[in-house]
Amino acid sequence: MNQIPVLIPAILLFTSFAAFFGGMIRLRWGYAATLLGVAASFLVSMAGVAHVIANGEIRYHLGGWAPPVGIEWVLDPLSAFMVAIVTTIGLLVVVYLPRSARFEIPGKEAFAYPSVALLLAGLTGMCLTGDVFNLYVFLEIAALAAYALLAVGDRRAPVAVFRYLVFGAVGGGFYLLGVGFLYFSAGTLNMADLAERLPELYQSRAVIAAAVLMVTGLGLKMALFPMHLWLPDVYNFAPSASAGLIAPIMTKVSAYAIIRLFLDVFHPVFLIEILPVTAFIGWLAAGGILFGSVMAMAQTDLRRMLAYSSVGQISYIALGIGLANPFGLIGGLLHMLNHALMKGVLFLIGGAIRLRTGLVEVPEFAGLGRKMPWTMASFTIAALAMVGIPPTAGFFSKYYLLLGSVDAGNWIFFAIIIVSSLLSAVYFFRVIEMIYREPEEGVISEPAVAAVPAGAMAGGGGHGDSLPPGLGGGPRHDDRRSGGARPPEEGGEAPGTMLLPILVLAVLILLVGIFNVLIVDRLLEPVVAPLSG
Amino acid sequence: MGIPMTPLEWGLDATVALLLVGLAGRILFTRDLFEATVLFIAFGLTLSLAWVRLGAANVALAEAALGAGVTGALFLTAFHRLARRGLAHPLDRQRYRADELHDRSSRGRADRGDDPKPALLDVGILHGPLWLRASMALAGLAVTGGIAARLLTLADRPPSLPILVEAHLAETGVSNPVTAVLLNFRAYDTLLEVAVLVVAMIAVGSLDRGSRAFVRDPEELEEDPVLDALSRLVVPLAGVAAVYLVWVGSHGPGGAFQAGALLAGAGVLLVAAGLMGPVTEGAAPIRALAVMGLAIFIAVGAGSMPWTGSFLAYPPGTEYGLILLVEAVLALSIAVVLIELFVDVPAVPHVDPALAKVDPTGDPLGRRISPDGAVIRNPDEER
């Protein structure tokens, strides 16, 4: 049992090797290795959650070297919670991946499988490590794997991802510089040791600089407003499965790292009172919530709308950090789980729509409700959750955030949460309305849609200039260089391996909503305990 | 350092320091890409001299092999490819704005009302008015200066870790503290660094393949006796040196990363001379070598768990042998990954044929170039 923390990333690292090796021989073997490995890591992380609830935390010393010489790994309620989110989304997307990848990025699957395993290894490692430098190394693994997965999208993806890479490198560099300052000030890299040694150094300007650098670096990585500039293009142009994997969990893990710094490296007092970082994050988050919602309303491309909505939703998590009281932080943490489920299912549904119809523009979605009933039912559940309607999961995280705002006496935050819920109701109900509308005569006769390349379709939202077909957006099926997504396949409901993860996620949104008290009591209450004391 | 420095050493250090600053400034401000490339290589070599002066021979070696050698060669390849497409003019702002290359592939955004400015790194400021760019530069300088000032005035509190490392060195099986940290105390970080290399290779491989302009036809060899003779001379030496570096890593400066970098340099030379094909198209065992370092590391780490009860711990008595084994395989993996990264340069996004011209400077590798920019020997390679 006590090997759990090391098993999860080690399994995934080995999976990446097996997927690479298997994929060299036969694509199917590469996939089988990925599926098995990710499923195993999912099971182990569930065992980890059970273990933490029953027996408390595990501290693991790699190589038998106790810190500070060695690296320590910690499975506690917070890391168990995060790892469970990461591996759950990971497993579901791996089930979804091959069918979608065969359609959107044919010929690139062999690269995608090891990248997925490495991405999950990086993210789970970031959650489990108790060492600030080790966290940096995992951060880079996850980031590189994400660049690989995102850059294989349509023609514009490499440019968008290059920008992400530059932002990400700057963010990682800031974080590393901060780690250096901490090491020179306190002489250790271990989080628990740092927590012990830092209080006497709180007035040291090096430690203050370290805190600012680390939070700024991680803020860049989590796309904290206004450092979100890289995000919309990246999610927009990525393959659906990559967006469905990376949008739900990648930015959350950076947010987790900030929370970990806040609670377990620097004492909360330091970041609340001595250096009011949390208040600053809170106001940035408030701006991000409004900005993301307004921008999402302005989009017609579903993927772009979801990307801007991600900017707003990440800000909810940041708002939880900014409130820095028990209710607020519970709301932020719960929103990590909820948003992972909601945004995951929405991006996966986007991929399913693209597979069956080639559509990405919301105004052309009429009739989808009849064509893909189960997928659209899942979309409706996820959309209701995004708006925050009980009993879906999305309601409860917003509820805790509201309680946190009341506790903090911050009525502006309170108002912003309410207003942005209304805004998301506007843009999601617009989509729902379109889905269940009967198609107008001749607009969506299926053979006609299927015959038009997806790229021309994507640009069809009213651009009047003389771009040649295929430059408008979306993949061109005849484009050899972008790997060339194929023309949409005919058929109604999404294929089974894609529908299953969508349905599971939709059900999870309901279950998490109904049973959120269990999660809060068992896992999140202990996490926020330092704040109430 | 307590040893007083002789005037000669002072002079040497001052020269190296001034050269570094001067070269860096020149690289930043020159408008000639070729000059920048050559200066970058010179910068890498000077930097490795600086490392030698600081007593870090292993870092110096890695810097020379990677910073100057492999990276420099990559830049040269990129330059030559741009030159063939008629894009490698001295930097002229109007023509060479980064978005020139990408406009064509990104215009689609205009129809969403976004600005049509998806340049490679378009933060807007790069093309802004002078006062904006100047104030950004000043702000950057202020932040850097502030950080540097903090670093210089850090409380003089020597980190306690080196003392602890020294205390436990005898238990690690090696006597070089760097190797002890890399492969024993913090072996996990090293394992992950190897994973970083692998994922970088996968990321590059998953992008569109380059035109392989760098890879030469073996038949062409006679045309370039210099490269041929040079590689026949240097490669065996590099191989011997790499073996030595792996072995010496256990008690002195050296180790897998340095040896891998050296091997990679030799490999790049082989590829350039046409004596070796690109690794991706090579035999499966060679491709598998790229992930073998990761695999052997995990296998050793997990395989010894029944004896030690802990991941990545070495059973007592086996440390030296296991560390040497891991180092040797790592060196090979690192070399294969670096060569792969080098050969498999992603394609420059499609450029209109109208833009491609006959390379005025001639092909650096001496091949004939057709008017549409392709190598004549493989006419279908480019498009």
Side-chain angles (χ1 to χ4, degrees), chain A residues 3 6 9-10 13-14 16-17 20-21 24 60-65 68-71 73 108 111 114-115 118 131 133-134 137-138 140-141 144-145 147-148 151-152 155-156 158-159 162-163 166-167 177 181 183-189 197 200-201 205-206 209 213 229 233 236-237 299 301 304 308 361 458-459 461 463 465 467 471-473 480-483, chain B residues 85 102 104-112 114 117-123 143 147-148 150-151 154-155 157-162 164-165 168 171-172 184-189 191-193 195-209 280 284-285 287-288 290-292 294-295 298-299 305 309-314 347-350 382-383:
Chain A
Q3 304 282 357
V6 79
L13 279 175
F14 191 75
S16 73
F17 157 76
F20 185 88
F21 205 70
M24 264 170 49
Y60 191 93
H61 298 160
L62 276 158
W65 295 105
V69 208
I71 297 171
W73 280 37
K108 302 277 176 68
F111 290 110
S115 306
L118 279 167
D131 184 289
F133 180 76
N134 197 233
V137 184
F138 275 116
E140 288 303 295
I141 291 187
L144 279 167
Y147 305 147
V152 295
R155 288 168 59 96
R156 289 159 298 176
V159 181
F162 182 78
R163 197 182 305 167
V166 173
F167 272 83
L177 201 55
F181 275 32
Y183 176 63
F184 274 108
S185 309
T188 177
L189 294 166
R197 295 185 198 183
E200 52 179 287
L201 298 169
R205 284 195 238 167
L213 285 168
L229 294 169
D233 275 355
N236 193 170
F237 303 141
Q299 308 303 321
D301 182 326
R304 205 165 184 80
Y308 272 113
E361 292 284 332
H463 67 81
D465 55 11
L467 289 176
L471 280 181
R480 187 167 50 89
R481 280 177 175 273
S482 70
Chain B
R85 293 181 174 171
H102 281 273
R104 257 161 234 96
S105 57
S106 326
R107 246 182 238 152
R109 280 182 60 194
D111 62 320
R112 293 201 189 81
D114 298 3
K117 53 166 187 187
L120 269 183
L121 176 57
D122 201 331
V123 194
V143 172
I147 291 173
R150 282 276 67 74
L151 271 178
L154 275 180
R157 179 195 302 270
S160 50
L161 281 183
L164 279 170
V165 167
H168 291 285
E171 306 161 42
T172 61
N184 203 331
F185 295 126
R186 295 186 71 93
Y188 209 71
D189 280 338
L191 168 64
L192 297 174
E193 294 296 351
V196 166
L197 277 176
V198 171
V199 72
M201 184 189 75
I202 292 174
V204 169
S206 69
L207 290 172
D208 296 329
R209 284 296 156 75
T280 22
R287 272 185 292 160
V291 284
M292 223 29 109
L294 192 58
I298 299 175
M305 276 171 83
S310 179
F311 186 61
L312 283 177
Y314 305 103
V348 178
H350 183 71
E382 269 301 298
R383 335 200 158 268

Side-chain angles (χ1 to χ4, degrees), chain B residues 120-136:
Chain B
L120 269 183
L121 176 57
D122 201 331
V123 194
I125 289 158
L126 291 179
H127 310 306
L130 182 65
W131 63 266
L132 185 61
R133 280 182 288 150
S135 52
M136 288 309 292

Side-chain angles (χ1 to χ4, degrees), chain A residues 199-471:
Chain A
E200 52 179 287
L201 298 169
Y202 279 161
Q203 298 307 326
S204 149
R205 284 195 238 167
V207 171
I208 291 178
V212 172
L213 285 168
M214 289 166 95
V215 172
T216 311
L218 292 170
L220 256 167
K221 290 262 182 194
M222 78 175 271
L224 178 62
F225 177 83
M227 295 183 280
H228 65 277
L229 294 169
W230 54 268
L231 185 144
D233 275 355
V234 167
Y235 289 180
N236 193 170
F237 303 141
S240 310
S242 304
L245 178 65
I246 288 162
I249 51 182
M250 186 96 184
T251 47
K252 313 288 183 300
V253 176
S254 296
Y256 154 86
I258 292 184
I259 295 176
R260 181 64 87 183
L261 288 181
F262 167 55
L263 292 176
D264 291 339
V265 177
F266 304 105
H267 192 270
V269 173
F270 178 64
L271 291 186
I272 296 175
E273 282 164 21
I274 302 176
L275 186 67
V277 167
T278 52
F280 194 63
I281 293 179
W283 286 104
L284 290 184
I289 292 175
L290 286 180
F291 173 85
S293 307
V294 171
M295 287 304 283
M297 276 173 62
Q299 308 303 321
T300 54
D301 182 326
L302 177 69
R303 297 170 302 169
R304 205 165 184 80
M305 181 187 108
L306 294 179
Y308 272 113
S309 133
S310 281
V311 174
Q313 300 289 321
I314 292 157
S315 299
Y316 278 114
I317 297 163
L319 191 74
I321 303 173
L323 286 169
N325 57 28
F327 279 135
L329 196 56
I330 287 181
L333 288 167
L334 198 58
H335 202 68
M336 285 194 189
L337 168 63
N338 296 343
H339 183 242
L341 300 173
M342 302 184 294
K343 202 41 67 68
V345 73
L346 288 171
F347 271 111
L348 296 188
I349 289 171
I353 296 177
R354 230 170 129 191
L355 176 82
R356 284 304 192 209
T357 66
L359 296 176
V360 292
E361 292 284 332
V362 173
E364 294 162 6
F365 278 1
L368 282 180
R370 176 162 296 180
K371 194 172 152 74
M372 312 171 78
W374 288 101
T375 310
M376 291 306 133
S378 309
F379 183 92
T380 310
I381 292 176
L384 293 179
M386 291 290 287
V387 178
I389 292 173
T392 58
F395 168 76
F396 294 96
S397 40
K398 283 186 182 171
Y399 177 68
Y400 279 108
L401 284 172
L402 287 175
L403 287 180
S405 311
V406 173
D407 265 12
N410 195 327
W411 299 101
I412 299 179
F413 287 178
F414 191 94
I416 283 177
I417 297 171
I418 301 284
V419 169
S420 93
S421 295
L422 288 176
L423 294 180
S424 45
V426 171
Y427 62 79
F428 274 110
F429 283 138
R430 197 183 57 187
V431 184
I432 294 177
E433 186 200 349
M434 191 55 73
I435 290 169
Y436 290 108
R437 179 186 288 178
E438 285 298 317
E440 288 163 41
E441 281 291 309
V443 171
I444 194 160
S445 64
E446 281 169 31
V449 170
V452 182
M457 226 46 189
H463 67 81
D465 55 11
S466 58
L467 289 176
L471 280 181

